[in-house]
Structures are given as structure tokens and as C-alpha cells.
Amino acid sequence: MPGNMIFDLIGFSQTKVTPSSHNQKNTENGNDEKICSDSAPFDISPDYDRPVSTNYQENLDYCTALKGKNADVLIRPFTLADGRRSFLLLVDGMCSKQSAEQNLILPAMQLKLSAGPDNIPPMQQISEIILNTELSEQPSLSKGFVAALTGDLFLCIEGLNVGFVIGARSIESRSVSPSETAGSVVGPHEGFTENLRTNTALIRRRISDPNLTIEMTQVGLRSHTAVALCYIRGLTNPKLVDTVRKNIQAINVDLMNDSGELAQLIEQYPLSPLPQIDGTEKPDTAAAEICQGRAAIIVNGSPYVLLAPATISSMMQVSEDRYQRWTYSSFLKILRWIAFFISITAPSLYVAVVAYNPGLLPVDLLLLSAANRINVPFSAVTEVIIMEFFIELLREASIRLPGSISSAMSIVGGLIVGDAAIRAGLVSPLLIIIIGLTSLTSFVIPSYELASSLRLVKYFLLALSAIFGIFGLTVGLVLFVSQLCALYSYGTEFTAPFSPAYKKGFLESLIELPIFRRDTRPEYYEPVDLIRMK
């Protein structure tokens, strides 16, 4: 028999159940029970709690009122073997109706919840007949309904003042695949997905330590988004864990869609242009950082896992540094720090030298620069602003367009339009080299959040250089470094291990030490266990 016909026969219908006259009398008499209707929506406040009643009809009426006109919310009444009336609540598409029928309803129909001489608790009797490993009691009817909306099953039985939440989520999600934003040549290629349980399993597979703790909580008054806090007991600083936990629990928003929103809500300095929460899409990186003494935050529906605390040195590191020979990894680290400096100073330095301090250039380079700009109708500042604006448009268009069109757009914009601008005499060839070098070095920075923030810093330095020349660029760099030094991320200085200076951490942030010398964890994370290798 086809599956849909089976579900119709066993009662998984989408027809609305009519509330009983008992509920209507309560309404007429002014009973102050919070029953959902079109004019009186469900109370989403965290302190609201409607307990499960021993009266079957009251529970059914309440859930029916909450269901309202929702066609995807299904209520399946049935009767146990001892005559107790029961109903199952689920959301079509978020759990398997076939699994609910085979593993729950059919076995439950054979159940007799009689106390008997052994006085076996109902929870134990239900767990013995239901083929599911996730079973918990829920005394709150309202929270049980919310649990069903997140993909679980909620079971109510007549005569019991508790309901039962059964894990049966079967939401379709993207399979584990290589990360598109954190590519690597050496090391694992798999990336996180939008499914929280898949992500926790990817971390658990790499850290089989019983001390690895994955705490679950929910964020969002309407979305009830599941959030997991991952750390290792006896290694991660307890103060760090407590602070992160309290900050997450203090969030009071209606919807939490992505970890990027959560990161902005738990930052210590939300008005700063620089990020204070790190993140990754690679399970191997998350596992390695957890073992370093950091805490990971996983948000259901987001493939980007947050890491706290964050430092500028951690944002400049990639997972491949650990897997390659220390000599080559050290070369790449130094290259990234050079790219970091060039990406924020190259356009400003060009404007400061060409427009205000040309005497700093060697004579040959000065003559070459003057010859290239002899037919350019714009000032150096205007010239840079035009090209930077063009690059930003090109970058944004490449991200928003489909992949096949995006590559063509990059070629057309970068080569044809740039060459045409030089031939038309609108910009100098030297500036094209400067802008191209700036764009390339910004792509070298591993952290997308940090690279995006540095783009804003670049324009800040450009404005000061356009007004004051080299002096303005120097002042801007001093202000930028001061801002870096003023930031903290969960008790850790953002500039650690440079300021304050940690001898070994300072060296390890600039170069990659040989693997047998990586025997301690970073001191600035303040881990309980500092020794990594004996």
C-alpha cells in the first residue's frame, strides 16, 4: 500500500481538530488560560510555561489551538492497550511519519501503563517499547510543542502530568563536502554543513576524549535555534566557558539565522570595525583550536563555527601550517604578514608619496612616475578612489553572480577595462600595479572577517594620507595599532602574543616551529593544562 495512504489510514491527517465544549466553557467563564487563537497568539516569553495536565482533553485542546491553521503540524490521536487516550504531535517534513508510525505508534498501542506490583515508572516502560535512543520527559506542554516544531516528536498520554519528547529529526541537509571558502592543498578537505548534529559528529570524530563537552542551548524567541558550546573539561579555562555561556544565554532576539549574527551579539566591543570572534568552516581546524584551549560555538543552520577567544595571530593562521614542513610553513606565515601590511598601506603610500612627498622616491622612479602621469587628468587621490571603487564593484559583482559568469566578469573587468583605462589616459600604469597588488594581498589573509575589516582601515589611512601625506599615514597607523591593542576577546588581548609579549608565542606567530617543539599550548588562552606534548 502506498505510503501516503497508510498515513491517512492511521490518522496523520491535516484536518483541524475541533476543541471540546469543555474548553469553550472555560473561555466563556473567563478562565485565564492562555489558549492560542488568531486574536491571542502564543506567548513566546521565556518565563511562560503551560504544564502538562492529567486531563487528556485539555492537553489536546491546547495543542489544537496552537496548531491553528498550520497545515504542516500534525496531531495523531490513538489509544494505548490499557484504554488511555494519547496523541502524538509532529511537523511534516521535519521528521519521518513512517518512522513515527513503525517505531512509536504501533508499539505504543500495545503498551499498558498499569503500576503493577513492581511499580515501574512510565518513562521506563515507554523506553522499553519505543525504538528510539533519544527519549526525555517534558513537564511543560508549551515547551513540548516547541520541541515538536524543531523536528522532534511530542507524546502526551492521558493521566500523566508529563509529556515525552522523542528525537526523530530527519531534515534534509547538505552532505559533508569540501569547504568552498577555506580551500587547502594539504590536509583534510571536508567542511562543516548546516546540520548541527553533523558538525558535532565531525568534531567528536577527531576528539574522542570523554572530557569533550558539547552543551546545548537555544537562542531566538521565535526560531529556537539550537546552539552548541564545545570545550574540553580540565583543559579549557572555566572562566572562558562561563562567560561564553552567559553571553549566549543573555541573547534576546526573535530569530537567529547564522553564526555571524551570534558573533556580533557576544562581542565585547560591537562598535569596533575589527572582529573579536574567530571562526572556521573546517572540522580539523576547529578540533585543533579546541585542543589549544579555545571554545567552539556551533549554530544550527550555519556551516561557520565560531572560536573564542580570538587574536590577530590566530586569524592569520591556516590549518595547512600544521601539516607541512615547518620551513615552508614559516615562509608562508611571513608572506601573509607582509601581505597584511601591504593590503592596508599600499594605496595610501602611493598617494602620500606622489602627491605630497615625491622627494622620498629615487630620481629614476620619480621621473618614471611623472612620465606615467603626464597625461592623467585626475589627481592621485581621485585616481586611487576611482580604481578602488571599480575594484569594489568588481569584487561584489563576482560574489553575487553565478560561478560561470563570475569568472568571466573578473577577466573582463580586470584585464579589458583596466587596459582600456590605461590606453585612454585615465589612470597611470603604476597605479594599476598598486591596486592589483593590494587586491591580491587582501585575498592572502585567511580570515574573511579580518580581510573585510582591513578594507575599511585601508580607506581610513587613504583619507589621512590624502590630507597630510606621509605624516597622515603615520598617524593613521599609530591609531590603528592603538585600536588593536585596546581590544580584548574574552579576557585575551587581541594583539597577543605581540602585546603583551609572550616569548614562545611571539615566535610561533611569525614562523612555524618544528612539530617536536610545539610542546605547549598558547599561554594567552590561559588553559588549565599548558603541556601539549611530553
Side-chain angles (χ1 to χ4, degrees), residues 424-443:
L426 297 178
V427 295
S428 65
L430 181 59
L431 178 61
I432 294 295
I433 297 175
I434 296 295
I435 297 298
L437 180 63
T438 304
S439 300
L440 285 176
T441 52
S442 65
F443 294 140

Side-chain angles (χ1 to χ4, degrees), residues 290-422:
I290 291 174
C291 288
Q292 293 280 64
R294 303 171 75 182
I297 307 169
I298 309 175
V299 178
N300 190 32
S302 174
Y304 195 76
V305 173
L306 304 178
L307 297 170
T311 64
I312 192 171
S313 61
S314 66
M315 292 184 176
M316 293 293 293
Q317 186 173 359
V318 297
S319 60
E320 288 180 286
D321 293 340
R322 304 183 181 96
Y323 308 140
Q324 300 182 106
R325 297 288 300 175
W326 69 275
T327 50
Y328 184 64
S329 297
S330 299
F331 167 74
L332 293 181
K333 271 192 173 182
I334 296 174
L335 186 65
R336 283 196 291 270
W337 283 112
I338 295 175
F340 175 91
F341 183 75
I342 292 177
S343 64
I344 62 175
T345 60
S348 305
L349 187 61
Y350 172 82
V351 170
V353 171
V354 171
Y356 288 91
N357 306 96
L360 297 176
L361 295 175
V363 176
D364 294 341
L365 187 58
L366 179 61
L367 294 176
L368 179 61
S369 175
N372 289 333
R373 288 187 43 80
I374 192 170
N375 294 322
V376 176
F378 304 114
S379 64
V381 178
T382 307
E383 190 182 12
V384 171
I385 292 176
I386 291 175
M387 288 307 302
E388 286 289 352
F389 180 71
F390 171 73
I391 292 296
E392 292 293 342
L393 288 179
L394 182 63
R395 190 198 306 259
E396 192 66 17
S398 300
I399 295 175
R400 306 304 166 200
L401 289 175
S404 56
I405 304 177
S406 173
S407 58
M409 173 65 70
S410 301
I411 296 174
V412 171
L415 297 179
I416 299 178
V417 178
D419 181 69
I422 295 176

Side-chain angles (χ1 to χ4, degrees), residues 139-162:
S140 172
L141 191 60
S142 54
K143 293 180 181 178
F145 193 94
V146 171
L149 296 181
T150 61
D152 292 328
L153 304 176
F154 183 60
L155 174 64
C156 267
I157 301 176
E158 184 179 13
L160 300 182
N161 59 357
V162 294

